[in-house]
Amino acid sequence: MAAEPQPKALTRKPLLLNKVEGSQDVVNMAAIVPKEDGVISVSEDRTVRVWLKRDSGQYWPSIYHAMPSPCSCMSFNPETRRLSIGLDNGTISEFILSEDYNKMTLVKSYQAHQSRVMMILFVLEMEWVLSTGQDKHFTWHCSESGQRLGGYRTSAGACGLQFDVETRHVFVGDHSGQVTILKLEQESCSLVTTFKGHTGGVTALCWDPIQRVLFSGSSDHSIIMWDIGGRKGTAIELQGHNDKVQSLSYAHHTRQLISCGADGGIVVRNMDVERQETPEWLDSDSCQKCDQPFFWNFKQMWDSKKIGLRQHHCRKCGKAVCGKCSSKRSSIPLMGFEFEVRVCDSCHESITDEERAPTATFHDSKHNIVHVHFDATRGWLLTSGTDKVIKLWDMTPVVS
């Protein structure tokens, strides 16, 4: 579907609080330090930096640590101040940060993968370090002993990784567009199921353990909401980006999904609404409204002496229709279509103003985002990007 112009933002824009500059290459990941005016970042320039806010109002590094390989990802646990860093060479290095965030001490390293580490999760409750890599493997290690506990080969290099502590289910999204769900034991894992709904690779995952909903973002510009807890197999598609979705974050207290894309867009969606699943597209040799033949239906074209028409589909009912019977466009936010999409004439008449009411706000970050981190306690959003810049936003006007 061709990209449509973005709707205007519905509320006040996020307030840019600060820009953190100084990295020499892409900032692959960064996180806000809870209860501190600080930011931790890892970069393609091989550096780990802890930035603390000075009296001048600017952030300056209190820690500047060079790694042996480009830093691809990180996971920070505020309770233990444990910082796990994934490297381009497949290694995961664990550090403990001092209470004043002026020193980091190496604890151990794991040779977790044969190539670039794509995502890390540290699970304090299990003392596990979960990771995915470009080597098409998901692995998990014991963070106390450093021992490798197990692994699973994915269908492609994996970017998305989420874990549910209660059920010990791990969610792995890969470049083939598939999401794999595994059940982890102490030293073994079993395949539960796989989901495939994206036409592009999965680039980000986000898990809501309360509603038991999984969100997957993709290079196909879409997000799919998988209703796992409801056990109904519902998959709701959410549109809103004109380029690949880079990162997802979920504000549990307000039930709002924050997504960022390579287009620089920040989209905040209200998930506290009753959403509708998009219909399957129906197959037909002729328009299901006016019965005109489609261009491959030679028999009906010959019998009726009519030229075949191009087939389209109504995004609301899924019927196969011709261009004349689907000349209207409409947004259908409850079905995930915040932009105007093709609908048949009868569906266009049936859609109410209430159904067209937007459920998302759209904002331009003015930089190429690769990762986001949301601090719910302060309502701050951190975005890091390929432009070597980290931006801190006050989202309270939007996520209230």
mmCIF file of all heavy atoms in Angstrom, residues 246-286:
data_model
loop_
_atom_site.group_PDB
_atom_site.id
_atom_site.type_symbol
_atom_site.label_atom_id
_atom_site.label_comp_id
_atom_site.label_asym_id
_atom_site.label_seq_id
_atom_site.Cartn_x
_atom_site.Cartn_y
_atom_site.Cartn_z
ATOM 1 N N GLN A 246 11.595 0.927 13.969
ATOM 2 C CA GLN A 246 12.914 0.653 14.542
ATOM 3 C C GLN A 246 12.858 0.176 15.989
ATOM 4 O O GLN A 246 13.673 -0.645 16.405
ATOM 5 C CB GLN A 246 13.780 1.918 14.472
ATOM 6 C CG GLN A 246 14.114 2.381 13.066
ATOM 7 C CD GLN A 246 15.277 1.622 12.462
ATOM 8 O OE1 GLN A 246 15.306 0.398 12.467
ATOM 9 N NE2 GLN A 246 16.243 2.346 11.940
ATOM 10 N N SER A 247 11.917 0.708 16.761
ATOM 11 C CA SER A 247 11.909 0.387 18.184
ATOM 12 C C SER A 247 10.522 0.619 18.767
ATOM 13 O O SER A 247 9.765 1.469 18.279
ATOM 14 C CB SER A 247 12.942 1.257 18.912
ATOM 15 O OG SER A 247 13.092 0.852 20.252
ATOM 16 N N LEU A 248 10.200 -0.159 19.818
ATOM 17 C CA LEU A 248 8.899 -0.072 20.475
ATOM 18 C C LEU A 248 9.092 0.041 21.985
ATOM 19 O O LEU A 248 10.028 -0.527 22.546
ATOM 20 C CB LEU A 248 8.059 -1.324 20.196
ATOM 21 C CG LEU A 248 7.706 -1.645 18.743
ATOM 22 C CD1 LEU A 248 7.096 -3.044 18.658
ATOM 23 C CD2 LEU A 248 6.743 -0.612 18.182
ATOM 24 N N SER A 249 8.181 0.766 22.626
ATOM 25 C CA SER A 249 8.157 0.834 24.079
ATOM 26 C C SER A 249 6.708 0.965 24.521
ATOM 27 O O SER A 249 5.884 1.546 23.805
ATOM 28 C CB SER A 249 8.980 2.030 24.583
ATOM 29 O OG SER A 249 9.088 1.999 25.990
ATOM 30 N N TYR A 250 6.393 0.419 25.694
ATOM 31 C CA TYR A 250 4.998 0.407 26.142
ATOM 32 C C TYR A 250 4.882 1.060 27.511
ATOM 33 O O TYR A 250 5.620 0.716 28.441
ATOM 34 C CB TYR A 250 4.486 -1.035 26.209
ATOM 35 C CG TYR A 250 2.996 -1.140 26.443
ATOM 36 C CD1 TYR A 250 2.089 -0.767 25.457
ATOM 37 C CD2 TYR A 250 2.501 -1.609 27.650
ATOM 38 C CE1 TYR A 250 0.735 -0.853 25.666
ATOM 39 C CE2 TYR A 250 1.133 -1.702 27.873
ATOM 40 C CZ TYR A 250 0.263 -1.332 26.874
ATOM 41 O OH TYR A 250 -1.102 -1.411 27.088
ATOM 42 N N ALA A 251 3.965 2.025 27.622
ATOM 43 C CA ALA A 251 3.680 2.691 28.899
ATOM 44 C C ALA A 251 2.536 1.942 29.568
ATOM 45 O O ALA A 251 1.369 2.121 29.219
ATOM 46 C CB ALA A 251 3.302 4.150 28.663
ATOM 47 N N HIS A 252 2.869 1.064 30.514
ATOM 48 C CA HIS A 252 1.867 0.175 31.110
ATOM 49 C C HIS A 252 0.780 0.937 31.862
ATOM 50 O O HIS A 252 -0.395 0.569 31.813
ATOM 51 C CB HIS A 252 2.548 -0.817 32.069
ATOM 52 C CG HIS A 252 3.550 -1.707 31.402
ATOM 53 N ND1 HIS A 252 3.194 -2.845 30.717
ATOM 54 C CD2 HIS A 252 4.906 -1.614 31.312
ATOM 55 C CE1 HIS A 252 4.279 -3.427 30.230
ATOM 56 N NE2 HIS A 252 5.333 -2.699 30.577
ATOM 57 N N HIS A 253 1.175 2.002 32.572
ATOM 58 C CA HIS A 253 0.209 2.698 33.418
ATOM 59 C C HIS A 253 -0.850 3.440 32.614
ATOM 60 O O HIS A 253 -1.952 3.697 33.116
ATOM 61 C CB HIS A 253 0.936 3.654 34.363
ATOM 62 C CG HIS A 253 1.675 4.764 33.678
ATOM 63 N ND1 HIS A 253 2.682 4.535 32.760
ATOM 64 C CD2 HIS A 253 1.557 6.120 33.765
ATOM 65 C CE1 HIS A 253 3.135 5.685 32.321
ATOM 66 N NE2 HIS A 253 2.480 6.667 32.910
ATOM 67 N N THR A 254 -0.538 3.804 31.381
ATOM 68 C CA THR A 254 -1.526 4.509 30.549
ATOM 69 C C THR A 254 -1.971 3.679 29.347
ATOM 70 O O THR A 254 -2.821 4.120 28.581
ATOM 71 C CB THR A 254 -0.945 5.833 30.020
ATOM 72 O OG1 THR A 254 0.269 5.552 29.290
ATOM 73 C CG2 THR A 254 -0.650 6.794 31.159
ATOM 74 N N ARG A 255 -1.385 2.496 29.195
ATOM 75 C CA ARG A 255 -1.690 1.612 28.063
ATOM 76 C C ARG A 255 -1.517 2.346 26.733
ATOM 77 O O ARG A 255 -2.411 2.393 25.900
ATOM 78 C CB ARG A 255 -3.100 1.013 28.188
ATOM 79 C CG ARG A 255 -3.257 0.043 29.351
ATOM 80 C CD ARG A 255 -4.523 -0.767 29.241
ATOM 81 N NE ARG A 255 -4.500 -1.619 28.045
ATOM 82 C CZ ARG A 255 -5.553 -2.311 27.598
ATOM 83 N NH1 ARG A 255 -6.703 -2.224 28.241
ATOM 84 N NH2 ARG A 255 -5.458 -3.063 26.518
ATOM 85 N N GLN A 256 -0.342 2.906 26.573
ATOM 86 C CA GLN A 256 -0.007 3.584 25.326
ATOM 87 C C GLN A 256 1.265 2.981 24.744
ATOM 88 O O GLN A 256 2.241 2.747 25.460
ATOM 89 C CB GLN A 256 0.153 5.087 25.548
ATOM 90 C CG GLN A 256 -1.205 5.770 25.795
ATOM 91 C CD GLN A 256 -1.064 7.252 26.070
ATOM 92 O OE1 GLN A 256 -0.478 7.625 27.076
ATOM 93 N NE2 GLN A 256 -1.589 8.074 25.199
ATOM 94 N N LEU A 257 1.225 2.726 23.450
ATOM 95 C CA LEU A 257 2.351 2.143 22.732
ATOM 96 C C LEU A 257 3.111 3.252 22.018
ATOM 97 O O LEU A 257 2.525 4.036 21.278
ATOM 98 C CB LEU A 257 1.855 1.108 21.723
ATOM 99 C CG LEU A 257 2.938 0.434 20.867
ATOM 100 C CD1 LEU A 257 3.781 -0.507 21.731
ATOM 101 C CD2 LEU A 257 2.310 -0.327 19.702
ATOM 102 N N ILE A 258 4.411 3.308 22.252
ATOM 103 C CA ILE A 258 5.268 4.298 21.604
ATOM 104 C C ILE A 258 6.127 3.568 20.573
ATOM 105 O O ILE A 258 6.804 2.595 20.905
ATOM 106 C CB ILE A 258 6.169 5.009 22.623
ATOM 107 C CG1 ILE A 258 5.326 5.673 23.714
ATOM 108 C CG2 ILE A 258 7.058 6.040 21.930
ATOM 109 C CD1 ILE A 258 6.135 6.161 24.899
ATOM 110 N N SER A 259 6.070 4.037 19.335
ATOM 111 C CA SER A 259 6.891 3.432 18.289
ATOM 112 C C SER A 259 7.680 4.519 17.583
ATOM 113 O O SER A 259 7.227 5.647 17.437
ATOM 114 C CB SER A 259 6.027 2.667 17.285
ATOM 115 O OG SER A 259 5.141 3.540 16.596
ATOM 116 N N CYS A 260 8.888 4.150 17.160
ATOM 117 C CA CYS A 260 9.741 5.073 16.419
ATOM 118 C C CYS A 260 10.211 4.398 15.146
ATOM 119 O O CYS A 260 10.433 3.184 15.117
ATOM 120 C CB CYS A 260 10.939 5.500 17.259
ATOM 121 S SG CYS A 260 10.482 6.506 18.682
ATOM 122 N N GLY A 261 10.343 5.197 14.095
ATOM 123 C CA GLY A 261 10.699 4.632 12.805
ATOM 124 C C GLY A 261 11.907 5.289 12.182
ATOM 125 O O GLY A 261 12.378 6.341 12.625
ATOM 126 N N ALA A 262 12.393 4.649 11.118
ATOM 127 C CA ALA A 262 13.524 5.193 10.372
ATOM 128 C C ALA A 262 13.154 6.503 9.683
ATOM 129 O O ALA A 262 14.028 7.244 9.245
ATOM 130 C CB ALA A 262 14.005 4.173 9.346
ATOM 131 N N ASP A 263 11.851 6.796 9.589
ATOM 132 C CA ASP A 263 11.394 8.069 9.033
ATOM 133 C C ASP A 263 11.502 9.210 10.039
ATOM 134 O O ASP A 263 11.153 10.349 9.747
ATOM 135 C CB ASP A 263 9.944 7.948 8.542
ATOM 136 C CG ASP A 263 8.971 7.457 9.617
ATOM 137 O OD1 ASP A 263 9.403 7.301 10.777
ATOM 138 O OD2 ASP A 263 7.793 7.230 9.295
ATOM 139 N N GLY A 264 11.984 8.916 11.260
ATOM 140 C CA GLY A 264 12.097 9.932 12.302
ATOM 141 C C GLY A 264 10.813 10.157 13.060
ATOM 142 O O GLY A 264 10.757 10.978 13.969
ATOM 143 N N GLY A 265 9.769 9.410 12.712
ATOM 144 C CA GLY A 265 8.475 9.596 13.359
ATOM 145 C C GLY A 265 8.386 8.925 14.716
ATOM 146 O O GLY A 265 8.885 7.820 14.915
ATOM 147 N N ILE A 266 7.769 9.638 15.662
ATOM 148 C CA ILE A 266 7.400 9.067 16.958
ATOM 149 C C ILE A 266 5.878 8.993 16.972
ATOM 150 O O ILE A 266 5.203 10.009 16.819
ATOM 151 C CB ILE A 266 7.879 9.938 18.137
ATOM 152 C CG1 ILE A 266 9.396 10.100 18.111
ATOM 153 C CG2 ILE A 266 7.428 9.340 19.470
ATOM 154 C CD1 ILE A 266 9.925 11.079 19.153
ATOM 155 N N VAL A 267 5.347 7.792 17.131
ATOM 156 C CA VAL A 267 3.892 7.602 17.140
ATOM 157 C C VAL A 267 3.491 7.084 18.512
ATOM 158 O O VAL A 267 4.060 6.113 19.015
ATOM 159 C CB VAL A 267 3.447 6.609 16.043
ATOM 160 C CG1 VAL A 267 1.917 6.480 16.037
ATOM 161 C CG2 VAL A 267 3.936 7.061 14.672
ATOM 162 N N VAL A 268 2.514 7.742 19.128
ATOM 163 C CA VAL A 268 1.993 7.326 20.432
ATOM 164 C C VAL A 268 0.553 6.870 20.225
ATOM 165 O O VAL A 268 -0.306 7.660 19.824
ATOM 166 C CB VAL A 268 2.044 8.472 21.464
ATOM 167 C CG1 VAL A 268 1.534 7.992 22.819
ATOM 168 C CG2 VAL A 268 3.460 9.012 21.590
ATOM 169 N N ARG A 269 0.313 5.589 20.484
ATOM 170 C CA ARG A 269 -1.015 5.013 20.253
ATOM 171 C C ARG A 269 -1.729 4.718 21.558
ATOM 172 O O ARG A 269 -1.127 4.167 22.486
ATOM 173 C CB ARG A 269 -0.916 3.695 19.465
ATOM 174 C CG ARG A 269 -0.444 3.854 18.042
ATOM 175 C CD ARG A 269 -0.294 2.478 17.387
ATOM 176 N NE ARG A 269 0.135 2.616 16.001
ATOM 177 C CZ ARG A 269 1.389 2.807 15.630
ATOM 178 N NH1 ARG A 269 2.334 2.896 16.550
ATOM 179 N NH2 ARG A 269 1.712 2.913 14.347
ATOM 180 N N ASN A 270 -3.011 5.037 21.598
ATOM 181 C CA ASN A 270 -3.854 4.681 22.726
ATOM 182 C C ASN A 270 -4.316 3.242 22.537
ATOM 183 O O ASN A 270 -5.111 2.951 21.648
ATOM 184 C CB ASN A 270 -5.053 5.630 22.804
ATOM 185 C CG ASN A 270 -6.020 5.240 23.904
ATOM 186 O OD1 ASN A 270 -5.668 4.494 24.814
ATOM 187 N ND2 ASN A 270 -7.245 5.732 23.825
ATOM 188 N N MET A 271 -3.823 2.325 23.375
ATOM 189 C CA MET A 271 -4.206 0.919 23.250
ATOM 190 C C MET A 271 -5.356 0.562 24.176
ATOM 191 O O MET A 271 -5.784 -0.594 24.231
ATOM 192 C CB MET A 271 -2.999 0.020 23.554
ATOM 193 C CG MET A 271 -1.793 0.269 22.665
ATOM 194 S SD MET A 271 -2.173 0.266 20.891
ATOM 195 C CE MET A 271 -2.766 -1.395 20.661
ATOM 196 N N ASP A 272 -5.873 1.552 24.883
ATOM 197 C CA ASP A 272 -6.999 1.319 25.792
ATOM 198 C C ASP A 272 -8.327 1.524 25.065
ATOM 199 O O ASP A 272 -9.232 2.172 25.567
ATOM 200 C CB ASP A 272 -6.897 2.247 27.006
ATOM 201 C CG ASP A 272 -7.759 1.778 28.169
ATOM 202 O OD1 ASP A 272 -8.116 0.596 28.183
ATOM 203 O OD2 ASP A 272 -8.069 2.610 29.041
ATOM 204 N N VAL A 273 -8.422 1.015 23.841
ATOM 205 C CA VAL A 273 -9.652 1.070 23.054
ATOM 206 C C VAL A 273 -9.918 -0.321 22.496
ATOM 207 O O VAL A 273 -9.004 -1.130 22.340
ATOM 208 C CB VAL A 273 -9.560 2.090 21.890
ATOM 209 C CG1 VAL A 273 -9.453 3.510 22.415
ATOM 210 C CG2 VAL A 273 -8.387 1.774 20.969
ATOM 211 N N GLU A 274 -11.153 -0.603 22.193
ATOM 212 C CA GLU A 274 -11.538 -1.898 21.630
ATOM 213 C C GLU A 274 -11.216 -1.902 20.144
ATOM 214 O O GLU A 274 -11.904 -1.264 19.356
ATOM 215 C CB GLU A 274 -13.035 -2.150 21.855
ATOM 216 C CG GLU A 274 -13.469 -3.579 21.588
ATOM 217 C CD GLU A 274 -12.906 -4.582 22.582
ATOM 218 O OE1 GLU A 274 -12.760 -4.225 23.767
ATOM 219 O OE2 GLU A 274 -12.601 -5.708 22.157
ATOM 220 N N ARG A 275 -10.164 -2.606 19.791
ATOM 221 C CA ARG A 275 -9.730 -2.608 18.393
ATOM 222 C C ARG A 275 -10.331 -3.782 17.627
ATOM 223 O O ARG A 275 -10.750 -4.784 18.213
ATOM 224 C CB ARG A 275 -8.209 -2.625 18.308
ATOM 225 C CG ARG A 275 -7.595 -1.320 18.831
ATOM 226 C CD ARG A 275 -6.117 -1.228 18.605
ATOM 227 N NE ARG A 275 -5.595 0.062 19.052
ATOM 228 C CZ ARG A 275 -5.457 1.123 18.297
ATOM 229 N NH1 ARG A 275 -5.807 1.068 17.015
ATOM 230 N NH2 ARG A 275 -4.982 2.255 18.785
ATOM 231 N N GLN A 276 -10.361 -3.619 16.298
ATOM 232 C CA GLN A 276 -10.976 -4.626 15.435
ATOM 233 C C GLN A 276 -9.905 -5.272 14.562
ATOM 234 O O GLN A 276 -9.014 -4.591 14.050
ATOM 235 C CB GLN A 276 -12.039 -3.989 14.535
ATOM 236 C CG GLN A 276 -13.138 -3.265 15.292
ATOM 237 C CD GLN A 276 -13.971 -2.379 14.369
ATOM 238 O OE1 GLN A 276 -13.943 -2.529 13.160
ATOM 239 N NE2 GLN A 276 -14.695 -1.442 14.960
ATOM 240 N N GLU A 277 -10.038 -6.580 14.377
ATOM 241 C CA GLU A 277 -9.094 -7.306 13.532
ATOM 242 C C GLU A 277 -9.393 -7.013 12.064
ATOM 243 O O GLU A 277 -10.550 -6.933 11.658
ATOM 244 C CB GLU A 277 -9.200 -8.810 13.797
ATOM 245 C CG GLU A 277 -8.041 -9.605 13.254
ATOM 246 C CD GLU A 277 -8.031 -11.038 13.765
ATOM 247 O OE1 GLU A 277 -9.057 -11.480 14.307
ATOM 248 O OE2 GLU A 277 -6.999 -11.706 13.608
ATOM 249 N N THR A 278 -8.331 -6.846 11.279
ATOM 250 C CA THR A 278 -8.539 -6.601 9.845
ATOM 251 C C THR A 278 -9.021 -7.889 9.169
ATOM 252 O O THR A 278 -8.597 -8.985 9.537
ATOM 253 C CB THR A 278 -7.232 -6.137 9.173
ATOM 254 O OG1 THR A 278 -6.183 -7.052 9.512
ATOM 255 C CG2 THR A 278 -6.852 -4.759 9.641
ATOM 256 N N PRO A 279 -9.911 -7.764 8.168
ATOM 257 C CA PRO A 279 -10.457 -8.967 7.525
ATOM 258 C C PRO A 279 -9.472 -9.603 6.559
ATOM 259 O O PRO A 279 -8.555 -8.945 6.057
ATOM 260 C CB PRO A 279 -11.679 -8.420 6.773
ATOM 261 C CG PRO A 279 -11.291 -7.019 6.429
ATOM 262 C CD PRO A 279 -10.472 -6.524 7.594
ATOM 263 N N GLU A 280 -9.670 -10.890 6.315
ATOM 264 C CA GLU A 280 -8.910 -11.566 5.259
ATOM 265 C C GLU A 280 -9.388 -11.043 3.911
ATOM 266 O O GLU A 280 -10.583 -10.795 3.721
ATOM 267 C CB GLU A 280 -9.142 -13.086 5.329
ATOM 268 C CG GLU A 280 -8.556 -13.752 6.562
ATOM 269 C CD GLU A 280 -7.047 -13.851 6.510
ATOM 270 O OE1 GLU A 280 -6.490 -13.861 5.391
ATOM 271 O OE2 GLU A 280 -6.423 -13.912 7.589
ATOM 272 N N TRP A 281 -8.471 -10.881 2.972
ATOM 273 C CA TRP A 281 -8.856 -10.447 1.632
ATOM 274 C C TRP A 281 -9.489 -11.610 0.867
ATOM 275 O O TRP A 281 -8.920 -12.708 0.811
ATOM 276 C CB TRP A 281 -7.636 -9.921 0.875
ATOM 277 C CG TRP A 281 -7.246 -8.533 1.328
ATOM 278 C CD1 TRP A 281 -7.790 -7.821 2.346
ATOM 279 C CD2 TRP A 281 -6.240 -7.701 0.754
ATOM 280 N NE1 TRP A 281 -7.184 -6.602 2.477
ATOM 281 C CE2 TRP A 281 -6.230 -6.496 1.504
ATOM 282 C CE3 TRP A 281 -5.353 -7.848 -0.299
ATOM 283 C CZ2 TRP A 281 -5.362 -5.454 1.221
ATOM 284 C CZ3 TRP A 281 -4.483 -6.818 -0.585
ATOM 285 C CH2 TRP A 281 -4.490 -5.624 0.162
ATOM 286 N N LEU A 282 -10.654 -11.363 0.314
ATOM 287 C CA LEU A 282 -11.400 -12.402 -0.381
ATOM 288 C C LEU A 282 -10.940 -12.540 -1.829
ATOM 289 O O LEU A 282 -10.499 -11.576 -2.457
ATOM 290 C CB LEU A 282 -12.900 -12.080 -0.344
ATOM 291 C CG LEU A 282 -13.519 -11.927 1.068
ATOM 292 C CD1 LEU A 282 -14.980 -11.552 0.971
ATOM 293 C CD2 LEU A 282 -13.350 -13.219 1.868
ATOM 294 N N ASP A 283 -11.036 -13.757 -2.342
ATOM 295 C CA ASP A 283 -10.688 -14.035 -3.735
ATOM 296 C C ASP A 283 -11.940 -14.019 -4.598
ATOM 297 O O ASP A 283 -13.008 -14.514 -4.180
ATOM 298 C CB ASP A 283 -10.020 -15.408 -3.868
ATOM 299 C CG ASP A 283 -8.649 -15.442 -3.214
ATOM 300 O OD1 ASP A 283 -7.948 -14.418 -3.277
ATOM 301 O OD2 ASP A 283 -8.291 -16.480 -2.637
ATOM 302 N N SER A 284 -11.832 -13.456 -5.791
ATOM 303 C CA SER A 284 -12.966 -13.435 -6.724
ATOM 304 C C SER A 284 -12.443 -13.156 -8.126
ATOM 305 O O SER A 284 -11.415 -12.499 -8.303
ATOM 306 C CB SER A 284 -13.975 -12.363 -6.317
ATOM 307 O OG SER A 284 -15.061 -12.329 -7.220
ATOM 308 N N ASP A 285 -13.159 -13.674 -9.129
ATOM 309 C CA ASP A 285 -12.801 -13.414 -10.527
ATOM 310 C C ASP A 285 -13.496 -12.174 -11.071
ATOM 311 O O ASP A 285 -13.227 -11.742 -12.197
ATOM 312 C CB ASP A 285 -13.152 -14.616 -11.411
ATOM 313 C CG ASP A 285 -12.225 -15.793 -11.136
ATOM 314 O OD1 ASP A 285 -11.068 -15.538 -10.763
ATOM 315 O OD2 ASP A 285 -12.659 -16.949 -11.280
ATOM 316 N N SER A 286 -14.410 -11.619 -10.262
ATOM 317 C CA SER A 286 -15.137 -10.417 -10.680
ATOM 318 C C SER A 286 -15.436 -9.565 -9.461
ATOM 319 O O SER A 286 -15.396 -10.045 -8.319
ATOM 320 C CB SER A 286 -16.440 -10.786 -11.402
ATOM 321 O OG SER A 286 -17.252 -11.598 -10.570
#
